[in-house]
Short mmCIF file of all heavy atoms in Angstrom, two decimals:
data_model
loop_
_atom_site.label_atom_id
_atom_site.label_comp_id
_atom_site.label_asym_id
_atom_site.label_seq_id
_atom_site.Cartn_x
_atom_site.Cartn_y
_atom_site.Cartn_z
N ARG A 1 -16.53 18.28 92.45
CA ARG A 1 -17.62 18.39 91.41
C ARG A 1 -16.91 18.33 90.05
O ARG A 1 -16.11 19.16 89.73
CB ARG A 1 -18.34 19.69 91.54
CG ARG A 1 -19.40 19.86 90.41
CD ARG A 1 -20.09 21.22 90.43
NE ARG A 1 -20.99 21.31 91.49
CZ ARG A 1 -21.08 22.34 92.34
NH1 ARG A 1 -20.20 23.38 92.24
NH2 ARG A 1 -22.00 22.39 93.28
N ARG A 2 -17.17 17.25 89.33
CA ARG A 2 -16.48 17.01 88.02
C ARG A 2 -14.98 17.21 88.12
O ARG A 2 -14.36 17.81 87.26
CB ARG A 2 -17.09 18.01 86.98
CG ARG A 2 -18.47 17.65 86.61
CD ARG A 2 -18.98 18.52 85.44
NE ARG A 2 -20.36 18.83 85.63
CZ ARG A 2 -20.84 19.98 85.99
NH1 ARG A 2 -20.09 21.03 86.17
NH2 ARG A 2 -22.16 20.14 86.25
N GLY A 3 -14.37 16.70 89.19
CA GLY A 3 -12.97 16.73 89.41
C GLY A 3 -12.37 17.98 90.05
O GLY A 3 -11.24 18.01 90.40
N GLU A 4 -13.24 18.99 90.22
CA GLU A 4 -12.81 20.26 90.82
C GLU A 4 -13.23 20.25 92.29
O GLU A 4 -14.41 19.98 92.62
CB GLU A 4 -13.43 21.41 90.12
CG GLU A 4 -12.97 21.59 88.69
CD GLU A 4 -11.52 21.93 88.52
OE1 GLU A 4 -10.99 22.73 89.34
OE2 GLU A 4 -10.84 21.39 87.64
N ALA A 5 -12.33 20.70 93.19
CA ALA A 5 -12.67 20.75 94.62
C ALA A 5 -13.78 21.78 94.94
O ALA A 5 -13.75 22.86 94.34
CB ALA A 5 -11.40 21.11 95.44
N VAL A 6 -14.65 21.38 95.77
CA VAL A 6 -15.68 22.27 96.30
C VAL A 6 -15.34 22.59 97.75
O VAL A 6 -15.07 21.68 98.60
CB VAL A 6 -17.10 21.56 96.28
CG1 VAL A 6 -18.11 22.45 96.94
CG2 VAL A 6 -17.46 21.18 94.86
N ALA A 7 -15.24 23.86 98.08
CA ALA A 7 -14.84 24.26 99.42
C ALA A 7 -15.92 23.95 100.44
O ALA A 7 -17.07 24.37 100.29
CB ALA A 7 -14.52 25.78 99.44
N LEU A 8 -15.58 23.19 101.45
CA LEU A 8 -16.51 22.84 102.56
C LEU A 8 -15.73 23.01 103.84
O LEU A 8 -14.61 22.60 103.97
CB LEU A 8 -16.94 21.42 102.46
CG LEU A 8 -17.83 20.95 101.32
CD1 LEU A 8 -18.15 19.44 101.44
CD2 LEU A 8 -19.15 21.73 101.27
N THR A 9 -16.44 23.56 104.81
CA THR A 9 -15.88 23.63 106.15
C THR A 9 -15.96 22.17 106.74
O THR A 9 -16.65 21.35 106.23
CB THR A 9 -16.72 24.57 107.07
OG1 THR A 9 -18.00 24.00 107.24
CG2 THR A 9 -16.76 25.95 106.50
N PRO A 10 -15.19 21.91 107.76
CA PRO A 10 -15.21 20.62 108.38
C PRO A 10 -16.68 20.21 108.79
O PRO A 10 -17.07 19.06 108.60
CB PRO A 10 -14.30 20.66 109.64
CG PRO A 10 -13.32 21.73 109.18
CD PRO A 10 -14.10 22.75 108.39
N LYS A 11 -17.41 21.12 109.32
CA LYS A 11 -18.82 20.85 109.80
C LYS A 11 -19.71 20.47 108.58
O LYS A 11 -20.50 19.57 108.63
CB LYS A 11 -19.37 21.98 110.56
CG LYS A 11 -20.71 21.68 111.19
CD LYS A 11 -20.56 20.66 112.32
CE LYS A 11 -19.77 21.13 113.43
NZ LYS A 11 -19.39 20.14 114.44
N LEU A 12 -19.52 21.26 107.44
CA LEU A 12 -20.35 20.89 106.25
C LEU A 12 -19.91 19.55 105.71
O LEU A 12 -20.82 18.79 105.27
CB LEU A 12 -20.15 22.02 105.20
CG LEU A 12 -20.71 23.35 105.52
CD1 LEU A 12 -20.47 24.35 104.36
CD2 LEU A 12 -22.14 23.33 105.86
N PHE A 13 -18.63 19.23 105.73
CA PHE A 13 -18.21 17.92 105.26
C PHE A 13 -18.84 16.83 106.07
O PHE A 13 -19.38 15.82 105.56
CB PHE A 13 -16.69 17.79 105.26
CG PHE A 13 -16.18 16.49 104.78
CD1 PHE A 13 -15.97 16.29 103.41
CD2 PHE A 13 -16.06 15.41 105.61
CE1 PHE A 13 -15.53 15.02 102.94
CE2 PHE A 13 -15.67 14.15 105.17
CZ PHE A 13 -15.39 13.97 103.80
N ASP A 14 -18.77 16.98 107.40
CA ASP A 14 -19.35 15.95 108.35
C ASP A 14 -20.82 15.81 108.11
O ASP A 14 -21.38 14.66 108.16
CB ASP A 14 -19.05 16.31 109.76
CG ASP A 14 -17.57 16.16 110.11
OD1 ASP A 14 -16.84 15.43 109.39
OD2 ASP A 14 -17.15 16.72 111.14
N THR A 15 -21.55 16.90 107.89
CA THR A 15 -22.96 16.87 107.65
C THR A 15 -23.29 16.11 106.35
O THR A 15 -24.10 15.21 106.33
CB THR A 15 -23.53 18.30 107.56
OG1 THR A 15 -23.21 19.00 108.80
CG2 THR A 15 -25.04 18.30 107.39
N LEU A 16 -22.56 16.46 105.27
CA LEU A 16 -22.78 15.83 104.01
C LEU A 16 -22.45 14.33 104.12
O LEU A 16 -23.18 13.46 103.70
CB LEU A 16 -21.91 16.45 102.98
CG LEU A 16 -21.99 15.76 101.57
CD1 LEU A 16 -23.40 15.82 101.01
CD2 LEU A 16 -21.04 16.50 100.58
N LEU A 17 -21.38 13.96 104.79
CA LEU A 17 -21.00 12.55 104.95
C LEU A 17 -22.10 11.78 105.73
O LEU A 17 -22.48 10.68 105.29
CB LEU A 17 -19.67 12.44 105.72
CG LEU A 17 -19.18 11.06 105.96
CD1 LEU A 17 -18.98 10.28 104.65
CD2 LEU A 17 -17.86 11.05 106.75
N HIS A 18 -22.63 12.30 106.76
CA HIS A 18 -23.71 11.65 107.54
C HIS A 18 -24.92 11.45 106.67
O HIS A 18 -25.50 10.35 106.67
CB HIS A 18 -24.00 12.49 108.77
CG HIS A 18 -24.93 11.77 109.72
ND1 HIS A 18 -24.44 10.92 110.68
CD2 HIS A 18 -26.26 11.70 109.78
CE1 HIS A 18 -25.48 10.34 111.35
NE2 HIS A 18 -26.58 10.83 110.83
N LEU A 19 -25.30 12.46 105.95
CA LEU A 19 -26.46 12.36 105.03
C LEU A 19 -26.22 11.33 103.99
O LEU A 19 -27.17 10.53 103.63
CB LEU A 19 -26.82 13.74 104.48
CG LEU A 19 -27.41 14.73 105.44
CD1 LEU A 19 -27.46 16.11 104.80
CD2 LEU A 19 -28.81 14.30 105.97
N VAL A 20 -25.10 11.34 103.31
CA VAL A 20 -24.75 10.45 102.27
C VAL A 20 -24.71 8.96 102.80
O VAL A 20 -25.25 8.08 102.17
CB VAL A 20 -23.45 10.84 101.55
CG1 VAL A 20 -22.91 9.67 100.68
CG2 VAL A 20 -23.66 12.12 100.73
N GLN A 21 -24.08 8.78 103.91
CA GLN A 21 -23.99 7.40 104.46
C GLN A 21 -25.32 6.87 104.90
O GLN A 21 -25.47 5.65 105.00
CB GLN A 21 -23.07 7.40 105.66
CG GLN A 21 -21.61 7.55 105.27
CD GLN A 21 -20.60 7.62 106.42
OE1 GLN A 21 -20.98 8.11 107.51
NE2 GLN A 21 -19.44 7.14 106.20
N ASN A 22 -26.26 7.73 105.13
CA ASN A 22 -27.67 7.36 105.53
C ASN A 22 -28.72 7.75 104.48
O ASN A 22 -29.83 8.05 104.83
CB ASN A 22 -27.98 8.03 106.90
CG ASN A 22 -27.05 7.49 108.00
OD1 ASN A 22 -27.23 6.41 108.45
ND2 ASN A 22 -26.08 8.22 108.32
N HIS A 23 -28.31 7.76 103.25
CA HIS A 23 -29.13 8.25 102.18
C HIS A 23 -30.42 7.43 101.97
O HIS A 23 -31.41 7.90 101.35
CB HIS A 23 -28.36 8.26 100.81
CG HIS A 23 -28.06 6.90 100.31
ND1 HIS A 23 -26.97 6.21 100.75
CD2 HIS A 23 -28.67 6.12 99.38
CE1 HIS A 23 -26.95 5.03 100.12
NE2 HIS A 23 -27.95 4.96 99.28
N ASP A 24 -30.51 6.28 102.54
CA ASP A 24 -31.71 5.41 102.35
C ASP A 24 -32.80 5.65 103.38
O ASP A 24 -33.80 4.96 103.42
CB ASP A 24 -31.28 3.93 102.35
CG ASP A 24 -30.51 3.58 103.65
OD1 ASP A 24 -29.96 4.49 104.35
OD2 ASP A 24 -30.47 2.39 103.98
N ARG A 25 -32.58 6.67 104.22
CA ARG A 25 -33.59 6.93 105.25
C ARG A 25 -33.61 8.46 105.65
O ARG A 25 -32.68 9.15 105.32
CB ARG A 25 -33.34 6.09 106.46
CG ARG A 25 -32.05 6.39 107.16
CD ARG A 25 -31.81 5.55 108.39
NE ARG A 25 -30.58 5.93 109.09
CZ ARG A 25 -30.58 6.91 109.99
NH1 ARG A 25 -31.65 7.63 110.29
NH2 ARG A 25 -29.45 7.22 110.61
N VAL A 26 -34.59 8.83 106.44
CA VAL A 26 -34.65 10.18 106.95
C VAL A 26 -33.74 10.29 108.13
O VAL A 26 -33.74 9.41 109.04
CB VAL A 26 -36.09 10.57 107.42
CG1 VAL A 26 -36.10 11.92 108.14
CG2 VAL A 26 -37.00 10.57 106.22
N CYS A 27 -32.86 11.30 108.22
CA CYS A 27 -32.04 11.55 109.33
C CYS A 27 -32.78 12.56 110.22
O CYS A 27 -33.00 13.69 109.83
CB CYS A 27 -30.64 12.11 108.89
SG CYS A 27 -29.63 10.97 108.00
N GLU A 28 -33.14 12.07 111.43
CA GLU A 28 -33.86 12.92 112.37
C GLU A 28 -33.00 14.11 112.81
O GLU A 28 -31.77 13.99 112.87
CB GLU A 28 -34.31 12.11 113.53
CG GLU A 28 -35.13 10.87 113.22
CD GLU A 28 -36.55 11.17 112.80
OE1 GLU A 28 -37.07 12.25 113.11
OE2 GLU A 28 -37.12 10.32 112.08
N LYS A 29 -33.61 15.20 113.09
CA LYS A 29 -32.87 16.39 113.49
C LYS A 29 -32.05 16.15 114.72
O LYS A 29 -30.86 16.50 114.83
CB LYS A 29 -33.85 17.59 113.80
CG LYS A 29 -34.51 18.09 112.55
CD LYS A 29 -35.48 19.20 112.92
CE LYS A 29 -36.23 19.66 111.63
NZ LYS A 29 -37.19 20.71 111.91
N GLU A 30 -32.60 15.48 115.72
CA GLU A 30 -31.83 15.18 116.98
C GLU A 30 -30.68 14.30 116.68
O GLU A 30 -29.62 14.47 117.27
CB GLU A 30 -32.88 14.49 117.92
CG GLU A 30 -32.68 14.70 119.36
CD GLU A 30 -32.28 16.07 119.88
OE1 GLU A 30 -32.96 17.07 119.61
OE2 GLU A 30 -31.27 16.11 120.52
#
């Protein structure tokens, strides 16, 4: 965030990455 690291667990990182890579659509819960 503005060049400063934001602490994320590996699971949070993976969740964010999945959402960001699919930002153009709804990611179903399943």
